[in-house]
Amino acid sequence: MRIRVPATSANLGPAFDAAGLALTCWDELEVEVTDGGLAVTVAGEGEGDLPTDESHLVVQAFRAACAELGWSPAGLRLAATNGIPQGRGMGSSAAAVTAGVLAAWSLCPDVTDVDEAAVLRLCSALEGHPDNVAPCLLGGATLSWTTPAGARAVRLAVRPEVTPVLFVPGATLSTHVARGLLPAAVPHADAAANAGRAALLVHALTTAPELLLEATEDRLHQAQRAPAMPDSAALLARLRADGHAAVVSGAGPCVLVLAPDASAADELAAHAPNGWRCMPLSVDDDGAVVHEMGRAVRL
């Protein structure tokens, strides 16, 4: 079984813990059930740093899904070729969880079809929230929420001219640390402002990209997290002052620009600070893709 899972960017400014976007940067994994033992190899991003034992996140997610399915495979071989930078707000952990759960569902001999809704619920439970998992699984832009029965999500059709451009620093930032900087309560006026901008964001992504700068204004989390990533905060401020719809990607420290068309990519590259990568990407419309017996299965 081969599985490809995309990088994602969550929040997109005002839609904190609700919106996400799949990006054309991928982890690709080969997963095989064997007669016994565990063999894990990692190439690309995270090579030499990520574990190659049971603590590997793909393996943990695979085991959790197997337990839910009531299946105990004898052994497992995992070969990961990672293109998603780790610990930078590009959904690397969501991609790993999604890949592991999909591998279990796809390889389990007692399962005939992948239950997308069940996979979303389990991945979200393992990840802690669905904002990255949903676009990783479904592709495009997504809105996600949690109900007593688990996570749910809907997919949005992003205007084709919207061009994501990522600024990737050399440094990493723990999501746990970034979340720890958020206050327990926010002023009502700030909550109302973000609600309005989050609604506008849906319209801007799907209908009117010229409104993306206003639609990505945020008061709830980016300024509060700035002390943990001052370089990202400074870049964000410069980009927005120049009229670019820039946001912190997920918990950071990556900065994402939602350009209204592809022509902005060359101009944006000049804004990259020393030691940062500028990655002009596209919206990944496919989401997670499973290749089984030479046949690509789009979920």
Side-chain angles (χ1 to χ4, degrees):
M1 187 75 62
R2 290 188 294 119
I3 298 173
R4 189 184 77 176
V5 282
T8 53
S9 182
N11 304 325
L12 306 183
F16 181 68
D17 276 2
L21 186 69
L23 304 168
T24 52
C25 174
W26 302 278
D27 286 351
E28 298 186 6
L29 305 99
E30 292 185 5
V31 188
E32 180 183 11
V33 172
T34 65
D35 293 335
L38 173 68
V40 178
T41 59
V42 177
E45 297 284 345
E47 183 177 357
D49 296 321
L50 293 175
T52 55
D53 56 16
E54 288 286 346
S55 63
H56 192 288
L57 192 52
V58 174
V59 177
Q60 291 185 29
F62 179 85
R63 301 293 192 213
C66 287
E68 181 144 310
L69 294 168
W71 176 46
S72 298
L76 179 69
R77 180 185 70 85
L78 168 66
T81 303
N82 296 335
I84 305 173
Q86 306 283 309
R88 290 174 174 84
M90 292 180 64
S92 59
S93 64
V97 166
T98 301
V101 172
L102 279 176
W105 273 86
S106 301
L107 290 168
C108 180
D110 298 326
V111 173
T112 55
D113 294 299
V114 175
D115 185 335
E116 189 177 90
V119 168
L120 175 65
R121 289 194 296 270
L122 178 55
C123 288
S124 301
L126 294 172
E127 177 72 355
H129 38 81
D131 53 352
N132 283 106
V133 166
C136 184
L137 182 64
L138 304 177
T142 58
L143 298 175
S144 56
W145 65 99
T146 303
T147 73
R152 297 188 63 193
V154 293
R155 191 176 184 277
L156 304 176
V158 180
R159 291 283 300 180
E161 61 266 36
V162 174
T163 303
V165 179
L166 267 169
F167 292 87
V168 185
T172 62
L173 177 64
S174 161
T175 300
H176 177 74
V177 170
R179 281 191 172 268
L181 295 172
L182 299 179
V186 298
H188 187 277
D190 289 346
N194 264 54
R197 289 300 192 271
L200 180 60
L201 177 64
V202 174
H203 179 67
L205 286 172
T206 60
T207 305
E210 67 273 11
L211 295 175
L212 279 167
L213 178 61
E214 293 172 83
T216 50
E217 290 179 355
D218 163 70
R219 296 189 191 179
L220 293 188
H221 65 101
Q222 295 182 153
Q224 290 84 346
R225 289 168 161 171
M229 44 182 161
D231 292 342
S232 300
L235 175 60
L236 179 69
R238 289 197 303 272
L239 287 165
R240 293 193 67 85
D242 285 346
H244 301 293
V247 298
V248 174
S249 182
C254 279
V255 173
L256 170 71
V257 173
L258 295 172
D261 58 70
S263 65
D266 290 339
E267 176 191 348
L268 284 166
H271 287 77
N274 290 336
W276 289 55
R277 283 184 284 168
C278 181
M279 297 175 62
L281 301 172
S282 299
V283 176
D284 177 280
D285 289 323
D286 293 332
V289 176
V290 176
H291 294 264
E292 179 181 0
M293 301 295 290
R295 180 175 63 95
V297 182
R298 184 181 181 279
L299 300 177

